[in-house]
Amino acid sequence: MTVLNYGMIGCGMMGQEHIKNIKLLEYTRIAAIFEPDQDMRAAAKQLAPEAKFEPSIDALLGRKDLDCLVIVSPNFLHARQLKLIASLNPLPILVEKPLITNPDDATLIKELTENYPKPIWVAMEYRYMPPVAKLISEANALSGGVKLLTIKEHRFPFLEKVNDWNRFNENSGGTFVEKCCHFFDLMRLIMKSEPLRIMASAGQTNNHLKEKYNGRTPDIWDNGYVIVDFESGSRAMLELCMFAEGSTYQEEISAVGTECKVECFVPGPSRFWPTHLGPAPTPRVIVSPREPKGPKILDIPVDTQLLQAGDHNGSTYYQHQKFQQVVLGNQQPEVTLKDGLIAVQMGMAAQEAASQSRIIDFSINK
């Protein structure tokens, strides 16, 4: 089988998770890395000693041996890097979310959708968490069609990133874009419908208020609610709290139809689970039919090796399994540029709805 040579753009915390999971696959090689931060380069070198570190993206793109690229740079760089790759060396790409942080860059994404000659996959790891994947695959059939969807994430605050870029909306796109585009993607996927109206309430209640960067206090929100009405008449809600890391489960998803409720429960990163509490919680799915009553609990364990390779319950590995097949020409991307763009636009609409205390008509995005 062909050995695929990967080029990495960015190797911070998430980039290192990508490297670990790519190396778990057979017939893959980290051939080249561009990472401007010295500490992150050193960490990446430990993980991929075979890789050559290039001094610029242009130099990386000038190589003739690369089969694909993985973009894991800070959010605000994704659009300009996609544009550069398209002009210099349009290889297959897996680009981390969020796809863009500036609404004006939607035009670029639409142009790439029409003209980019190779596949682009937008990284939405939450789709591939085993308990979430189980809910996605069965919720509509078991429930009689999902009418109400609730996604709750109670987790830890934003972690420290290189140059603290994630402390400010101008770099991240805002919490509903940076953190929550995953959940808006899940809403569209599970509901099988497009958003019609978005309303939200959110704020910065607890986190980062005592921090200062060049005299500035971070402005990222740490909690909020978002309600989305869909064209199908179904509706979904997101509940986010980023100062609730004491929870047993980090994500809880509830999908309810006329026949049944299907829920999944996902623990946070295993490295954060206190050892004195014993083994970390096992992910699970609960199926609760209306008739006959009697919830069924299904444990969905995740391979220990995959848990050790990242913070996303094995999903990064499963995502890269599929992306590898895309690069080999055996399948199409499951998360398209359109999916990535709409998820970000939903996050932007939620930011606007909360900031302006009004309902956003999302239909105008069409």
Side-chain angles (χ1 to χ4, degrees):
M1 187 173 174
T2 303
V3 175
L4 298 180
N5 286 318
Y6 286 67
M8 304 291 301
I9 299 177
C11 278
M13 187 180 301
M14 192 62 200
Q16 292 165 37
E17 178 170 325
H18 279 285
I19 289 175
K20 291 176 186 177
N21 284 276
I22 291 168
K23 290 176 72 70
L24 290 176
L25 297 170
E26 292 185 314
Y27 309 110
T28 63
R29 176 174 174 267
I30 307 298
I33 296 172
F34 168 66
E35 170 51 66
D37 183 80
Q38 180 177 350
D39 292 338
M40 295 302 103
R41 280 200 305 273
K45 185 67 174 177
Q46 294 295 316
L47 297 174
E50 72 278 14
K52 180 180 178 183
F53 285 80
E54 298 291 355
S56 67
I57 296 179
D58 291 50
L60 184 142
L61 294 176
R63 296 174 62 110
K64 304 301 182 184
D65 61 336
L66 298 182
D67 297 296
C68 60
L69 299 167
V70 182
I71 300 176
V72 208
S73 53
N75 299 357
F76 61 94
L77 297 176
H78 294 172
R80 74 180 73 166
Q81 290 170 349
L82 286 168
K83 185 176 181 179
L84 181 63
I85 293 165
S87 68
L88 294 181
N89 190 1
L91 292 164
I93 297 172
L94 186 146
V95 54
E96 260 298 339
K97 62 79 194 167
L99 193 54
I100 61 173
T101 58
N102 186 328
D104 294 340
D105 287 327
T107 300
L108 168 66
I109 301 305
K110 292 173 182 177
E111 290 174 354
L112 291 173
T113 301
E114 295 177 1
N115 300 317
Y116 194 81
K118 298 292 177 65
I120 300 179
W121 180 306
V122 181
M124 291 289 186
E125 287 84 13
Y126 282 53
R127 288 189 181 202
Y128 302 101
M129 291 179 174
V132 178
K134 178 76 169 176
L135 182 143
I136 291 169
S137 68
E138 299 189 7
N140 276 286
L142 292 174
S143 70
V146 177
K147 304 300 181 185
L148 295 172
L149 179 70
T150 302
I151 300 176
K152 180 169 73 174
E153 181 170 71
H154 283 188
R155 55 160 281 167
F156 48 90
F158 282 114
L159 298 174
E160 294 182 4
K161 296 295 180 73
V162 174
N163 296 324
D164 307 296
W165 67 262
N166 65 342
R167 292 307 198 248
F168 297 96
N169 293 331
E170 64 193 36
N171 298 327
S172 71
T175 299
F176 284 149
V177 171
E178 203 290 329
K179 184 70 207 69
C180 302
C181 61
H182 278 302
F183 304 126
F184 300 128
D185 176 65
L186 289 178
M187 288 179 184
R188 290 183 62 243
L189 182 64
I190 295 169
M191 294 303 207
K192 303 183 186 300
S193 183
E194 296 299 337
L196 189 62
R197 288 178 297 274
I198 295 178
M199 57 202 85
S201 176
Q204 185 180 6
T205 300
N206 182 74
N207 297 348
H208 317 301
L209 292 170
K210 297 181 180 180
E211 299 174 11
K212 291 285 185 181
Y213 303 95
N214 296 320
R216 301 171 61 199
T217 301
D219 59 1
I220 49 171
W221 295 339
D222 56 22
N223 69 99
Y225 293 96
V226 181
I227 296 175
V228 183
D229 291 337
F230 285 84
E231 292 175 348
S232 62
S234 57
R235 52 188 53 87
M237 185 182 80
L238 167 67
E239 175 186 332
L240 175 72
C241 181
M242 299 188 68
F243 44 91
E245 61 267 42
S247 306
T248 300
Y249 291 102
Q250 182 168 290
E251 287 88 25
E252 301 178 17
I253 302 177
S254 171
V256 184
T258 56
E259 304 297 325
C260 182
K261 176 172 72 172
V262 183
E263 302 167 276
C264 75
F265 299 84
V266 186
S270 57
R271 65 190 175 105
F272 293 159
W273 186 254
T275 56
H276 73 273
L277 295 179
T282 299
R284 60 178 38 176
V285 169
I286 301 179
V287 178
S288 303
R290 295 179 68 190
E291 189 63 38
K293 293 181 177 65
K296 299 176 183 178
I297 301 175
L298 306 172
D299 284 342
I300 313 289
V302 178
D303 185 274
T304 301
Q305 186 179 30
L306 300 187
L307 292 176
Q308 293 173 346
D311 290 343
H312 296 85
N313 279 269
S315 60
T316 304
Y317 174 79
Y318 296 121
Q319 178 179 248
H320 272 292
Q321 271 190 323
K322 294 172 180 287
F323 179 64
Q324 183 183 35
Q325 294 305 309
V326 169
V327 179
L328 291 170
N330 297 329
Q331 72 167 80
Q332 294 299 309
E334 292 184 359
V335 191
T336 65
L337 286 172
K338 177 183 177 182
D339 294 325
L341 178 59
I342 295 178
V344 164
Q345 289 175 326
M346 291 175 71
M348 291 175 175
Q351 291 278 139
E352 183 178 353
S355 297
Q356 301 182 9
S357 299
R358 68 186 184 93
I359 298 172
I360 302 298
D361 179 1
F362 198 80
S363 63
I364 61 175
N365 284 285
K366 294 183 179 179

